[in-house]
Amino acid sequence: MSVNEDLPNFADMLLSRIREIGNPVLVGLDPHHALLPPEYQDAIRSKDRAKMAGAIEDFCIRVIDAVHDIVPAVKPQVAFFEQLGPDGYQALENVVTAAKRSGLVVISDSKRGDIGSTAAAYADYHIGAGSERLLPDVKNLNADAMTVNPYLGSDTLEPFLKFVAQGKGIFVLVKTSNPGSSDFQDRVLENTSGLMLYEAVAEKLSSIGEVHVGEFGLSSIGIVVGATYPEQANSLRQRFPNLWFLVPGFGAQGADAADVAKCFNCEGEGAIVNASRSLLFSYKDHKYEALAKKDWALSTRQAAVDMANELTNILSRE
Amino acid sequence: MSVNEDLPNFADMLLSRIREIGNPVLVGLDPHHALLPPEYQDAIRSKDRAKMAGAIEDFCIRVIDAVHDIVPAVKPQVAFFEQLGPDGYQALENVVTAAKRSGLVVISDSKRGDIGSTAAAYADYHIGAGSERLLPDVKNLNADAMTVNPYLGSDTLEPFLKFVAQGKGIFVLVKTSNPGSSDFQDRVLENTSGLMLYEAVAEKLSSIGEVHVGEFGLSSIGIVVGATYPEQANSLRQRFPNLWFLVPGFGAQGADAADVAKCFNCEGEGAIVNASRSLLFSYKDHKYEALAKKDWALSTRQAAVDMANELTNILSRE
C-alpha cells in the first residue's frame, strides 16, 4: 500500500494507461541520424546542429502523432539529443512536451547516476516536480519517469526517490539487454547461495520500492530487464512481483514475443516492452513498403499495431 | 607501449601537463547555484534559465581564469549544466572551450553508460575527435576525457575506446567516494579468493587499458577511486600500476592529504585529485576572508595554491 495516498502514483498511472490503450508497447524514440527518412537527410547532411535537431524533433513528433492513440508510452533516448548539444536538448524538451500533450506517458532514457547533490541535479531536470524541486519554477524536462544506473549504490538513488514520492517513476538498470551485460551483472556473490549481482540489485530495489507500491500492487520503482535474457527475466518476475519491468531487446536486438512474455505477471501485466528501430524505421521494411510509399509515419503506426497484437496474443495464451 | 605511436596519447599528455605545472590538482567545476557568490544571486533568483546559465558560465570562466596557470586540469560536472537544459549545455560548451584555450586538460564528468549506438552518441558528443567521429564536422563538446559508468559491461565501453585510440581518455567509475558505494561495489565475488566487484572492474579495465599505455607507463584508461576509502585505494594502486586514478573525496567529502597520497605510485604520480567546493566556494571560508573581500576569485586561486602545496608536501615525504 502506498504511503502517499493523497499524491499521484506513477505505477498506478502507467498501469491505468496500459489498460485503457489495451497494450504494453513502449515506443523508443531513438532518432538515429543515418536511419531517418529521406526527407530529413538534407538537414542531417547540413552538419548544422540547429537544422539537425529540428529534423530529429520533427521526426519524433510525427512518430508521436502517428502512435499516441494506440500505445501508452514513449521513451526518448537522451543520447541522440545530447549528441547535438544545446539544440538537441531544445528538441528533447519539445518532444517530451508534445508527447505529454498527446496523453503519452514519457520515460526519459538517460541512465543517469551520480552522488549526492549531483544526482539531485539530474533528478531535478529529468523528473523534478512538486514541492521537492531543487530549482522551483525553473523550466525542466519534467518527464514522468527516467532510467537510472545503480552502480554508485542505493544512497545515490535518494534524490530520485524524492520525486517518486511526488508521483514520478524510476527504472533502474538491473539486467541489461546487451551481450556484455554478463561481465559484471552476472557475477555470483559470495555467501549468497548463488545470487548474482543483478539479483542483489533487484532485491535492494524491491525493498526500497515497497513504500511506493500503488493500489494495483506495483511499485513506482521499476527495473530494466532485457528480453534477450528470458530465463533471467522469468526468475526476476517470479521473485519480485512488485517491480515494474521496462523491457528492451524486442525486435532489432533479437528477443521475440515468447521471450518478452516472461516479463509479465500472471495477469499479463507489470511490464512495458520497448521497441525502437523496428517501429521508427519500419518504412525500410519490405512488409510495410506500400504504406511507406504514402507516408513513412503510416508504416510506423502499422508496425506498432502489429507489435501490440503480437504481444496481446501471446499474453492471452499464457 | 602504445599501439598508436603516431597518435597523441591522453595519459602522456596529462602527465606532461602535471609535471609542467608541478601539482596534480583537478579543479571540479561544480557550480552549485545556491553557493555562487552574491553577484550571481540575482540571476539565480530570476528563474530564467538563460540568465542562470549565463551566471554559472561566467562563474566557471572566472574560476578558470583564476587557476589556469597553477593547476593542470578542470572537471566540469555535467549535471549542474544539464539542470538548465539547452541553456546549460550552451554554458557547458563555452566553459570547456575557455578551459581548453587556457591550456587546461578538461575532463567531462558525465558518468555516461549505455549500450551500442547509444553509448556511441554519448562518446561522440563528449570526447569525439578525429577519424572516428560518428557525426564528423558537427560541433561537439570535445573534452579531453570523460567519466564512464561500467555497470552495463565491457562491450559498452567500446564506443569510448575508439576515441581513446584517437588521443582521448576515459575514467571509469570503480570505487566511488560516497558512503553507499559499498552496496554493490564491495560485494565479494564467488570463486575469486575474496575479490570485490570494484576490483573485478579494475582488473578488466587494466587489461583493456594495456594497449593504451603511453610512454610513461600509464594508460589512457583511468579509474575513479574515492580518497574516502584510502585502504582500498592503496590496494588498487599496488595492483594496477598502469591505471590513472581520478580521485574525488578530498576536502568537503572528508579525505585528507594522507588518504589521497595512497592513490599515487612511488614516483608520486599517476593520480589527479579533485576538489570542488573547497576551492570554488572558499570565499565563504574564514581563512580566505581578506582575499575574498577584494575578489572571490582570489580566494579560489589561493585555496588551489594551498591544496597544491599540501599535496606536493605529502608526496615529497612519502
Side-chain angles (χ1 to χ4, degrees):
Chain A
M1 208 188 310
S2 169
V3 289
N4 308 295
E5 288 173 20
D6 49 339
L7 281 171
N9 176 284
F10 171 77
D12 289 346
M13 190 265 281
L14 180 59
L15 188 58
S16 303
R17 182 80 188 147
I18 289 174
R19 287 178 175 175
E20 200 176 291
I21 293 286
N23 71 70
V25 173
L26 174 64
V27 176
L29 298 174
D30 294 26
H32 292 266
H33 302 96
L35 300 178
L36 295 184
E39 67 192 82
Y40 297 112
Q41 290 303 328
D42 274 353
I44 298 304
R45 277 190 297 264
S46 73
K47 314 276 185 199
D48 176 301
R49 291 200 301 191
K51 284 184 193 160
M52 297 171 80
I56 66 171
E57 175 182 327
D58 188 77
F59 172 75
C60 290
I61 289 177
R62 288 198 58 207
V63 170
I64 288 165
D65 289 345
V67 302
H68 76 279
D69 56 336
I70 54 164
V71 304
V74 292
K75 178 174 74 62
Q77 170 48 265
V78 175
F80 293 109
F81 297 89
E82 186 162 310
Q83 198 177 6
L84 298 174
D87 298 299
Y89 270 85
Q90 189 58 63
L92 175 64
E93 292 186 355
N94 295 346
V95 166
V96 170
T97 301
K100 291 182 73 171
R101 263 195 209 131
S102 300
L104 289 158
V105 175
V106 180
I107 302 168
S108 171
D109 195 358
S110 51
K111 301 188 176 66
R112 299 298 188 251
D114 216 304
I115 69 170
S117 57
T118 316
Y122 282 129
D124 203 57
Y125 179 65
H126 288 269
I127 55 170
S131 57
E132 294 293 330
R133 279 296 304 278
L134 208 61
L135 298 180
D137 306 319
V138 175
K139 182 171 161 48
N140 69 339
L141 191 61
N142 196 18
D144 298 302
M146 69 186 289
T147 54
V148 173
N149 186 310
Y151 185 76
L152 283 88
S154 54
D155 62 332
T156 67
L157 299 179
E158 277 160 30
F160 302 96
L161 297 181
K162 284 197 315 186
F163 298 117
V164 171
Q166 306 268 320
K168 300 299 184 105
I170 58 171
F171 291 93
V172 182
L173 302 177
V174 163
K175 175 63 186 160
T176 55
S177 58
N178 56 309
S181 74
S182 56
D183 278 346
F184 306 124
Q185 295 166 26
D186 290 2
R187 298 299 292 258
V188 176
L189 307 180
E190 201 169 72
N191 302 324
T192 60
S193 40
L195 199 71
M196 291 187 184
L197 174 65
Y198 74 88
E199 297 173 297
V201 176
E203 215 166 59
K204 189 81 165 183
L205 294 167
S206 174
S207 131
I208 295 173
E210 267 172 35
V211 296
H212 302 292
V213 169
E215 58 173 312
F216 302 128
L218 289 160
S219 172
S220 297
I221 297 186
I223 60 178
V224 176
V225 181
T228 43
Y229 298 101
E231 276 178 48
Q232 292 87 332
N234 186 46
S235 149
L236 286 168
R237 182 72 285 170
Q238 302 310 316
R239 290 186 53 198
F240 305 108
N242 68 342
L243 293 173
W244 263 107
F245 280 28
L246 190 169
V247 184
F250 182 74
Q253 285 184 58
D256 63 19
D259 297 330
V260 163
K262 307 259 193 291
C263 299
F264 289 81
N265 60 26
C266 47
E267 286 88 35
E269 296 185 326
I272 187 153
V273 181
N274 183 74
S276 303
R277 292 188 192 203
S278 57
L279 307 182
L280 267 54
F281 309 118
S282 60
Y283 77 93
K284 288 171 173 280
D285 184 337
H286 182 68
K287 186 176 165 192
Y288 300 108
E289 207 171 15
L291 277 173
K293 266 189 189 157
K294 288 189 218 163
D295 181 354
W296 64 262
L298 291 176
S299 65
T300 291
R301 182 180 173 90
Q302 189 57 46
V305 167
D306 292 348
M307 174 176 165
N309 288 338
E310 205 180 342
L311 292 180
T312 47
N313 282 341
I314 198 149
L315 290 172
S316 66
R317 281 207 306 274
E318 294 276 308
Chain B
M1 209 188 307
S2 171
V3 289
N4 308 294
E5 287 174 19
D6 49 341
L7 282 170
N9 177 285
F10 171 78
D12 289 346
M13 190 266 281
L14 180 59
L15 187 59
S16 303
R17 182 78 190 147
I18 289 173
R19 285 178 177 175
E20 199 177 292
I21 293 286
N23 71 70
V25 172
L26 173 63
V27 176
L29 298 175
D30 295 25
H32 291 266
H33 302 96
L35 299 178
L36 295 183
E39 67 194 81
Y40 296 112
Q41 290 304 328
D42 274 352
I44 298 303
R45 275 189 298 263
S46 74
K47 314 277 184 199
D48 176 302
R49 291 199 301 192
K51 286 185 192 160
M52 296 171 81
I56 66 172
E57 175 182 327
D58 188 78
F59 172 75
C60 290
I61 288 176
R62 288 199 57 205
V63 170
I64 289 165
D65 289 345
V67 301
H68 75 278
D69 56 335
I70 53 165
V71 304
V74 291
K75 179 174 73 63
Q77 170 47 265
V78 176
F80 292 110
F81 296 89
E82 186 162 311
Q83 197 176 10
L84 298 174
D87 298 299
Y89 270 85
Q90 189 56 65
L92 175 64
E93 292 185 355
N94 296 345
V95 166
V96 169
T97 301
K100 290 181 75 171
R101 259 192 213 134
S102 299
L104 289 158
V105 175
V106 180
I107 302 168
S108 171
D109 194 357
S110 52
K111 301 186 176 67
R112 298 298 187 252
D114 216 303
I115 67 169
S117 57
T118 317
Y122 282 130
D124 203 57
Y125 179 65
H126 289 270
I127 55 171
S131 58
E132 294 293 331
R133 278 298 301 278
L134 208 62
L135 298 180
D137 307 320
V138 175
K139 181 170 159 52
N140 69 339
L141 191 63
N142 197 16
D144 298 302
M146 69 186 287
T147 54
V148 173
N149 186 310
Y151 186 76
L152 283 87
S154 54
D155 62 334
T156 69
L157 299 178
E158 277 160 30
F160 302 96
L161 297 181
K162 284 197 315 186
F163 298 117
V164 171
Q166 304 270 321
K168 301 301 184 104
I170 58 170
F171 291 94
V172 182
L173 303 177
V174 164
K175 176 63 186 162
T176 56
S177 59
N178 56 309
S181 74
S182 56
D183 278 346
F184 306 124
Q185 295 165 26
D186 290 3
R187 297 300 293 258
V188 177
L189 307 179
E190 202 170 72
N191 301 325
T192 60
S193 39
L195 199 71
M196 289 185 186
L197 173 65
Y198 75 87
E199 296 173 297
V201 176
E203 216 165 59
K204 188 84 169 179
L205 294 167
S206 174
S207 135
I208 295 173
E210 267 171 36
V211 296
H212 302 291
V213 169
E215 58 173 309
F216 302 130
L218 287 161
S219 174
S220 297
I221 296 186
I223 60 178
V224 176
V225 181
T228 41
Y229 299 100
E231 276 177 48
Q232 291 88 332
N234 186 47
S235 150
L236 286 168
R237 183 71 286 169
Q238 302 310 316
R239 291 186 53 198
F240 305 107
N242 67 343
L243 294 173
W244 263 106
F245 282 27
L246 189 169
V247 183
F250 182 74
Q253 286 183 59
D256 63 20
D259 296 329
V260 163
K262 306 257 190 294
C263 299
F264 289 81
N265 60 26
C266 49
E267 286 88 36
E269 295 184 326
I272 185 151
V273 182
N274 182 75
S276 304
R277 292 190 194 202
S278 58
L279 307 181
L280 268 52
F281 309 118
S282 61
Y283 77 92
K284 288 171 173 280
D285 184 337
H286 182 70
K287 186 176 167 193
Y288 301 108
E289 205 171 17
L291 279 173
K293 265 188 190 159
K294 288 188 217 158
D295 181 354
W296 64 262
L298 292 175
S299 65
T300 291
R301 182 179 173 89
Q302 190 55 48
V305 168
D306 292 348
M307 176 175 163
N309 288 338
E310 205 179 341
L311 291 180
T312 47
N313 282 343
I314 197 146
L315 290 171
S316 67
R317 280 208 306 274
E318 295 275 310

